[in-house]
Amino acid sequence: MKIPVSIIRCPTCHSDKITNINKNLNCGNCSTVFLIENELPVLFCSKKSQVLYENYLEKKGKNWIDLSLESISFRRKKIKTPFKTLNRILNFIRYPYLATPAPPSFVDLHKKYSEGGHVLSLSGGSTSPDLEGWINMDILDYKTVDTLGDALNLPFNDNVFDFITSNSSLEHIPDYQKVIDECYRVLK
């Protein structure tokens, strides 16, 4: 298991009394047992994150392409007219592309924030960087994920991370403000 037990808090009762016993994580406060499957802690609260945990159990072991095909619900419906140029203009207006400067790469962020600290990569899925000092959390067991958990109820103690990265995930979470609040809680 890549994550130090000292930074984990119980997703159920929020206690920091977590121990690693018999290849499971146990809460010394509420006695909840969290599985460690293939070196991957499964840190879902059975009450607060029941749907996510059931989703993990149903989909674990499936490959990313199968999961993506199952979960795609939004498709852009292009406007089609008999005029090719008009189609381009109307579809650009409907789905505009705004040129923006390139963001820093994971390697740039790693150089700046990882030295001696912890970085949380939240919901990076199969693109989570496998870098020293980074903890990759998602709701499914992708190859580079270090722990499974709910972003609405982060399984980490307060003031643990120097930096948090999240790419293309907040728009999928209806109560995204709760995720932002949780991120503030775990940031130093």
Side-chain angles (χ1 to χ4, degrees), residues 2-183:
K2 180 179 173 180
I3 302 171
V5 175
S6 62
I7 69 167
I8 297 174
R9 81 170 190 174
C10 176
T12 304
C13 73
H14 301 160
S15 169
D16 63 353
K17 296 177 183 168
I18 301 293
T19 54
N20 190 339
I21 301 173
N22 298 328
K23 298 185 180 180
N24 290 317
L25 294 174
N26 299 315
C27 177
N29 189 48
C30 70
S31 302
T32 303
V33 176
F34 299 96
L35 301 176
I36 300 176
E37 295 186 354
N38 299 320
E39 299 295 312
L40 187 69
V42 181
L43 298 170
F44 292 110
C45 171
S46 60
K47 293 176 184 163
K48 297 175 188 170
S49 308
Q50 180 181 359
V51 173
L52 291 177
Y53 183 64
E54 289 171 359
N55 185 52
Y56 160 71
L57 291 176
E58 177 187 326
K59 296 182 179 190
K60 71 178 177 177
K62 288 188 178 181
N63 69 43
W64 181 82
I65 294 171
D66 292 341
L67 292 173
S68 293
L69 292 174
E70 287 176 15
S71 64
I72 294 173
S73 59
F74 171 76
R75 296 190 189 270
R76 293 182 174 175
K77 186 175 180 183
K78 291 189 174 186
I79 299 170
K80 292 184 181 178
T81 70
F83 308 102
K84 195 174 186 178
T85 304
L86 181 61
N87 290 344
R88 283 190 194 156
I89 292 168
L90 292 175
N91 284 306
F92 178 79
I93 291 169
R94 189 173 201 180
Y95 304 111
Y97 171 75
L98 302 175
T100 57
S105 70
F106 285 130
V107 174
D108 295 334
L109 294 172
H110 177 67
K111 287 177 186 173
K112 185 168 183 174
Y113 294 104
S114 293
E115 186 132 355
H118 295 292
V119 174
L120 176 61
S121 177
L122 192 59
S123 304
S126 61
T127 62
S128 296
D130 191 14
L131 298 168
E132 184 71 30
W134 286 54
I135 295 173
N136 300 311
M137 189 185 97
D138 207 303
I139 60 171
L140 292 173
D141 57 342
Y142 297 104
K143 198 174 215 174
T144 57
V145 169
D146 300 310
T147 187
L148 300 175
D150 185 353
L152 293 166
N153 185 26
L154 291 175
F156 303 107
N157 291 324
D158 297 352
N159 308 312
V160 172
F161 294 100
D162 298 295
F163 189 78
I164 297 175
T165 178
S166 179
N167 187 13
S168 301
S169 59
L170 286 178
E171 70 272 20
H172 300 285
I173 303 170
D175 192 4
Y176 64 88
Q177 185 59 52
K178 174 75 169 120
V179 175
I180 293 168
D181 293 344
E182 280 289 279
C183 288

